[in-house]
């Protein structure tokens, strides 16, 4: 009983610690400019003005489109490439396998800050600067190791025998992968997709260094350029509203895929 | 229906291990052949080569007279039951069994009929809509069998299909597998490392060791006339007793006493290349309480007296253990067998233990000295260096006393 209580208390502390800032931002986003700094947790003056304001500015809507587009494209490419690489790593023995794993680990560890100036110069030279591909490319680079690692862990859980069984049952290599392995790997693929999407969605470092105009600026960067309705107005309310808005796609994304992440889908395949 | 021929089939893995060394084996149409041997002897590798899941390094594999070395598994028309069952967890039992038929693009009605028929045979009708995760071990095993039989393949391959079941279920399934095979009359290759399964199931048993075939024959032949020390020790439970023996003055000197040698054996053992040191092998049931032996039989045997170590009464008969001075027999084959039985860590002593199976009427008691008779016609002598059975004469073992 006592330990249960202690754990419950600990859980509560963690939840409060994580949620208070989020709730604070939400509360700020509903406050009027006048009550913004009154320190009340629950707004006394409710308003939707902040939300109206950000959707009126072309700046935010444009950034939202950029963010969604860039994050989705990067996620799809990284997950497709990652799936193929992880399948090869977990199933095949090929020359250079450990090199591939080593290099991808190296990339994952590489401090991204140190790449910002070289990337800036390269993209200026090649004309990629301030374009979608200019952000998609570095995102894929850093998302791939993440994708490969998560996916190969998932693939390793799928019993090898299933593929052999499918072949004995008359499937070609392709059919065995499509009809037996892919459905089992799906939860892993969706989990990876969520992780990669969040990584791309949250990035600020590359987005601020490799963009200069609204043409490819993503939301996290656009937020930092927010001004109020006039130059002299405090933009805190608008920024909070925007912050709330950009968490929504992530929540939707997770909810949408959550149904497909059925844990233990492979149980019963083999006697464990 | 098909016959299978393995012609000097060899398998070497890229890392240099040769798992199978030039195996020759002919399996007749409709035959039930068992591959048996200790762990790592290449049974699964051989089976996988027949299946097409492993490439054949050299040699030729023919099914129905046709060379199939380079055919993909799906073109060989072979079904396989895996040790792990390898059921598709995302499909129901019915879908699992229908999978090979769907791949073969059979019409829906026919698929349903075949699945239902197979389910009836295997008593799975009530479980067709369940997923493998919600089945017991025995039911999963039956689904795996069902998936193999639905499409009436030319050949069944089974890799230790029963080894994940508990002992009682294993015995039940063993008879079911046997009945199913008789009923379908499909050529079957069955891998196991359990010698009881090998003895009870197959038409013919192939004993393998270290990637080589030791002996091929029907179970009784392997039991009565083992080619070598390894086969003798591997087949039979409890296993054959082995004692060191030497030839001296026309007799066989053992820890049990000096056994008479028949004329033929004397001749064989007198030959220039005959071994001086031998390993004597005799099965537990070839001993009897001397008090119960009929006079007519007595002359075929040899009697010795030894103190009883332990008596295990099984009701139908008694297992009586004796300690024999003079140490256990040693040879590479015996070391292999001990390692396989997991007995490699047992403390070695200079006393050999002798297991005998006496009739239930025997009055032996723990600790008491007892006179025991052993059948000289059933003794095997092995060369400890290569394990060869030197008592074998034209493929049959005739004991040591025969003239
Ligand atoms: N992919 C591989 N690469 C290298 N060696 C292998 C490979 N697969 C198996 N071997 C080796 O080949 C030998 C035979 O293996 P195999 O799986 O056929 O044994 P088995 O008789 O089926 O044993 P068990 O009863 O344990 O299943 C073993 O020594 C094993 O280590
Ligand atoms: Mg095996």
């Amino acid at each position: 009983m006592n330990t249960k209580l202690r754990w419950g208390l600990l859980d509560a502390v963690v939840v409060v610690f994580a949620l208070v800032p989020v709730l604070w931002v939400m509360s700020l986003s509903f406050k009027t400019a006048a009550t913004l700094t009154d320190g009340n947790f629950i707004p006394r003056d409710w308003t939707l003005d902040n939300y109206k304001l950000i959707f009126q500015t072309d700046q935010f809507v444009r950034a939202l489109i950029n963010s969604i587009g860039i994050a989705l494209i990067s996620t799809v490419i990284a997950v497709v490439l990652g799936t193929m690489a992880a399948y090869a790593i977990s199933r095949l023995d090929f020359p250079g396998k450990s090199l591939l794993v080593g290099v991808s680990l190296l990339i994952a560890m590489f401090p991204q800050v140190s790449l910002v100036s070289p990337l800036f110069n390269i993209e200026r030279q090649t004309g990629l600067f301030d374009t979608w591909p200019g952000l998609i490319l570095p995102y894929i680079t850093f998302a791939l190791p993440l994708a490969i690692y998560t996916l190969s862990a998932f693939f390793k859980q799928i019993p090898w025998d299933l593929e052999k069984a499918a072949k004995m049952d008359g499937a070609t290599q392709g059919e065995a992968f499509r009809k037996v392995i892919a459905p089992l790997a799906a939860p892993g693929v969706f989990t990876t997709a969520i992780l990669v999407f969040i990584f791309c969605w949250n990035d600020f470092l590359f987005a601020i260094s490799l963009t200069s105009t609204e043409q490819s600026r993503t939301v996290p960067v656009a937020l930092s350029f927010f001004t109020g309705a006039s130059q002299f107005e405090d933009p805190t309310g608008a920024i909070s509203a925007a912050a709330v808005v950009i968490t929504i796609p992530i929540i939707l994304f997770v909810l949408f895929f959550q149904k497909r992440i059925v844990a233990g889908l492979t149980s019963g395949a083999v006697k464990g | 229906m098909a016959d299978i021929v393995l012609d000097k089939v060899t398998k070497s893995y890229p890392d240099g291990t040769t798992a199978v060394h030039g195996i020759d084996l002919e399996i007749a149409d409709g035959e039930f052949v068992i591959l048996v041997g200790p762990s790592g002897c290449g049974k699964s590798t051989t089976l996988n080569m027949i299946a097409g899941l492993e490439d054949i390094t050299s040699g030729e594999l023919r099914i129905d007279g046709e060379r199939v070395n380079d055919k993909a598994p799906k073109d060989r028309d072979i079904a396989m039951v895996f040790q792990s069952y390898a059921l598709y967890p995302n499909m129901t039992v019915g879908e699992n069994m229908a999978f090979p038929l769907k791949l073969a693009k059979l019409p829906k009605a026919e698929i349903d009929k075949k699945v239902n028929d197979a389910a009836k045979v295997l008593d799975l009708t009530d479980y067709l809509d369940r997923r493998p995760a919600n089945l017991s071990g025995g039911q999963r095993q039956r689904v795996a069998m069902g998936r193999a039989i639905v499409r009436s393949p030319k050949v069944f391959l089974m890799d230790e299909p029963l080894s994940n079941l508990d002992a009682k279920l294993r015995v039940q399934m063993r008879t079911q597998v046997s009945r199913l095979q008789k009923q379908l009359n499909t050529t079957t290759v069955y891998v196991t490392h359990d010698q009881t399964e090998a003895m009870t199931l197959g038409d013919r048993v192939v004993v393998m060791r270290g990637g080589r075939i030791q002996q091929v024959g029907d179970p009784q032949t392997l039991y009565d006339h083992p080619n070598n020390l390894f086969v003798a020790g591997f087949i039979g439970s409890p296993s054959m007793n082995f004692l060191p023996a030497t030839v001296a003055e026309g007799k066989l000197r053992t820890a049990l006493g000096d056994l008479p040698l028949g004329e033929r054996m004397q001749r064989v053992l007198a030959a220039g290349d005959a071994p001086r040191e031998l390993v004597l092998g005799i099965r537990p049931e070839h001993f009897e309480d001397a008090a119960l032996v009929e006079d007519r039989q007595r002359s075929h045997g040899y009697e010795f007296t030894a103190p009883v170590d332990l008596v295990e009464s099984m009701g139908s008969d008694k297992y009586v253990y004796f300690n024999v001075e003079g140490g256990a027999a040693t040879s590479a084959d015996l070391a292999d067998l001990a390692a396989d039985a997991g007995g490699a860590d047992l403390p070695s002593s200079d006393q050999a233990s002798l297991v005998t199976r006496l009739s239930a009427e025997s009055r032996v008691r723990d600790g008491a000295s007892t006179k025991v008779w052993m059948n000289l016609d059933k003794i095997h002598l092995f060369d400890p260096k290569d394990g060869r059975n030197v008592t074998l004469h034209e493929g049959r073992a005739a004991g040591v006393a025969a003239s």
Side-chain angles (χ1 to χ4, degrees):
Chain A
M1 201 59 225
N2 209 354
T3 51
K4 224 177 191 175
L5 204 73
R6 272 214 303 268
W7 276 113
L9 213 67
L10 201 66
D11 288 349
V13 169
V14 170
V15 169
V16 168
F17 184 79
L19 273 186
V20 162
V22 179
L23 293 175
W24 192 261
V25 168
M26 283 179 83
S27 137
L28 283 179
S29 73
F30 289 113
K31 283 182 178 176
T32 57
T35 57
L36 207 54
T37 50
D38 65 357
N40 266 338
F41 194 77
I42 297 162
R44 260 178 301 173
D45 252 352
W46 289 83
T47 172
L48 285 177
D49 281 353
N50 292 320
Y51 289 89
K52 282 184 198 136
L53 180 76
I54 57 170
F55 279 104
Q56 271 159 16
T57 61
D58 202 34
Q59 197 186 5
F60 180 73
V61 179
R62 180 67 218 182
L64 203 58
I65 293 168
N66 286 341
S67 259
I68 292 174
I70 289 172
L72 274 185
I73 294 173
S74 309
T75 304
V76 169
I77 297 178
V79 168
V80 168
L81 291 181
T83 305
M84 296 197 272
Y87 186 72
I89 286 171
S90 58
R91 282 294 148 89
L92 304 175
D93 250 330
F94 53 89
K97 175 167 147 176
S98 49
L99 190 74
L100 177 67
V101 176
V103 166
S104 70
L105 191 66
L106 195 76
I107 293 173
M109 306 273 221
F110 210 87
Q112 299 174 2
V113 175
S114 61
L115 281 181
V116 166
S117 328
L119 270 178
F120 177 78
N121 283 329
I122 292 170
E123 297 208 345
R124 288 290 285 246
Q125 304 265 323
T126 53
L128 284 171
F129 183 74
D130 200 23
T131 59
W132 277 23
L135 279 181
I136 290 173
L137 278 177
Y139 286 172
I140 292 174
T141 311
F142 283 98
L144 255 183
L146 177 74
I148 291 174
Y149 269 88
T150 351
L151 281 167
S152 50
F154 268 95
F155 278 128
K156 280 188 186 129
Q157 282 175 5
I158 299 175
W160 222 153
D161 273 356
L162 290 182
E163 200 174 315
K164 291 192 197 165
K167 280 192 201 164
M168 292 310 298
D169 282 345
T172 59
Q173 177 85 42
E175 281 172 324
F177 184 79
R178 267 204 331 275
K179 299 195 169 158
V180 174
I181 302 300
L184 296 179
V189 174
F190 291 128
T191 310
T192 311
I194 290 177
L195 291 175
V196 170
F197 185 84
I198 293 176
F199 164 78
C200 302
W201 187 258
N202 279 347
D203 173 74
F204 181 74
L205 180 67
F206 288 122
I208 193 149
S209 350
L210 302 177
T211 60
S212 60
T213 65
E214 283 182 8
Q215 191 198 334
S216 57
R217 203 173 266 160
T218 58
V219 178
V221 177
L223 283 191
S224 69
F225 283 96
F226 259 21
T227 51
S230 71
Q231 282 271 304
F232 307 102
E233 210 173 297
D234 185 0
T236 309
I239 290 177
S240 309
V244 170
V245 170
I246 64 164
T247 46
I248 291 172
I250 296 228
I251 292 173
L252 285 182
F253 204 78
V254 171
L255 285 183
F256 178 69
F257 282 133
Q258 199 183 29
K259 269 194 244 133
R260 286 155 210 247
I261 307 171
V262 187
L265 196 66
T266 51
S267 74
V270 298
K271 167 119 181 182
Chain B
M1 300 281 171
D3 62 320
I4 306 171
V5 178
L6 287 88
D7 189 359
K8 303 211 172 40
V9 169
T10 297
K11 174 72 194 184
S12 303
Y13 284 107
D15 66 354
T17 32
T18 303
V20 175
H21 299 267
I23 277 190
D24 284 315
L25 184 64
E26 289 186 20
I27 301 167
D29 184 14
E31 200 176 16
F32 195 164
V33 166
I34 313 279
L35 298 184
V36 67
S39 197
C41 71
K43 308 178 297 281
S44 297
T45 307
T46 308
L47 202 70
N48 288 340
M49 284 193 288
I50 300 177
L53 294 171
E54 294 276 8
D55 293 331
I56 294 171
T57 311
S58 72
E60 196 171 84
L61 173 71
R62 290 188 293 271
I63 297 178
D64 254 349
E66 186 193 352
R67 181 190 150 101
V68 294
N69 285 39
D70 304 317
K71 272 197 175 179
K74 73 185 191 71
D75 301 321
R76 297 192 188 189
D77 195 15
I78 289 177
M80 185 155 170
V81 179
F82 292 81
Q83 176 176 7
S84 63
Y85 311 148
L87 302 179
Y88 310 123
N90 52 327
M91 303 181 196
T92 63
V93 169
E95 286 165 348
N96 261 283
M97 299 210 295
F99 188 68
L101 303 175
K102 271 194 196 134
L103 287 173
K105 307 219 159 48
L106 258 58
K108 179 94 175 56
E110 202 177 330
I111 293 181
D112 287 346
K113 187 182 170 314
K114 290 196 176 197
V115 168
N116 283 328
D117 288 351
K120 214 172 285 160
V121 172
L122 291 163
D123 210 3
L124 284 170
T125 314
D126 296 342
Y127 308 107
L128 282 177
D129 293 326
R130 287 221 203 149
R131 279 181 199 255
N134 307 327
L135 295 178
S136 72
Q139 288 161 347
R140 283 182 205 175
Q141 210 284 328
R142 297 211 299 271
V143 177
M145 297 281 297
R147 196 173 59 187
I149 66 172
V150 271
R151 68 194 166 102
S152 324
K154 278 202 243 177
V155 177
F156 285 138
L157 303 178
M158 306 190 192
D159 193 352
E160 310 201 19
L162 306 182
S163 62
N164 279 336
L165 303 177
D166 57 50
K168 202 171 155 200
L169 205 54
R170 191 150 56 206
V171 176
Q172 279 174 18
M173 281 308 295
R174 201 167 74 201
T175 50
Q176 196 167 2
V177 168
S178 181
R179 204 174 300 133
L180 202 63
Q181 202 275 340
K182 296 247 153 43
Q183 205 177 324
L184 301 169
N185 202 24
T186 304
T187 315
T188 304
V189 185
Y190 184 110
V191 164
T192 176
H193 62 240
D194 175 6
Q195 63 88 27
T196 323
E197 253 170 50
M199 290 296 283
T200 49
L201 275 176
D203 297 329
R204 269 197 312 157
V205 177
V206 179
V207 182
M208 291 182 66
R209 174 194 177 206
R212 292 193 170 82
I213 291 183
Q214 299 293 302
Q215 190 169 0
V216 184
D218 63 279
Q220 200 62 50
T221 307
L222 294 191
Y223 191 82
D224 291 337
H225 314 290
N227 262 346
N228 61 34
L229 193 49
F230 182 82
V231 177
F234 192 79
I235 302 286
S237 170
S239 59
M240 191 183 270
N241 296 293
F242 295 107
L243 296 169
T246 48
V247 185
E249 297 153 22
K251 297 209 174 250
L252 199 59
R253 184 152 295 161
T254 72
L256 300 176
D258 285 353
L259 309 183
L261 278 174
E263 247 173 70
R264 191 176 62 78
M265 274 326 290
Q266 285 199 19
R267 232 177 347 201
V268 170
L269 294 173
D273 59 345
R276 297 287 95 207
E277 305 278 324
L278 292 158
V279 175
L280 176 149
I282 180 162
R283 295 204 181 275
E285 65 270 29
H286 297 136
F287 292 90
E288 187 51 282
D289 187 338
L292 299 171
V293 177
E294 289 169 28
D295 288 337
R296 194 163 42 83
Q297 269 203 318
R298 204 175 291 271
S299 59
H300 290 279
Y302 175 85
E303 282 170 20
F304 62 93
T305 308
V308 173
D309 181 34
L310 188 73
V311 179
E312 285 174 356
S313 186
M314 310 295 285
S316 55
D317 32 39
K318 286 194 167 89
Y319 284 110
V320 183
Y321 297 78
F322 296 91
N323 277 331
V324 181
E325 302 292 332
T330 50
S331 94
D333 296 45
L334 290 175
D336 261 18
L337 286 167
D340 186 50
D345 311 332
L346 290 179
S348 61
S349 66
D350 47 334
Q351 283 199 325
S353 178
L354 199 66
V355 189
T356 67
R357 202 177 87 197
L358 311 182
S359 17
E361 297 100 76
S362 170
R363 299 200 183 284
V364 290
R365 273 178 297 109
D366 289 6
S369 250
T370 305
K371 199 168 190 194
V372 183
W373 172 90
M374 69 182 191
N375 190 342
L376 290 176
D377 291 344
K378 299 294 184 185
I379 287 180
H380 303 276
L381 291 176
F382 302 96
D383 183 343
K385 281 199 287 296
D386 55 8
R388 185 169 54 96
N389 186 348
V390 296
T391 26
L392 222 52
H393 181 61
E394 288 164 0
R396 307 190 72 76
V400 288
S403 50

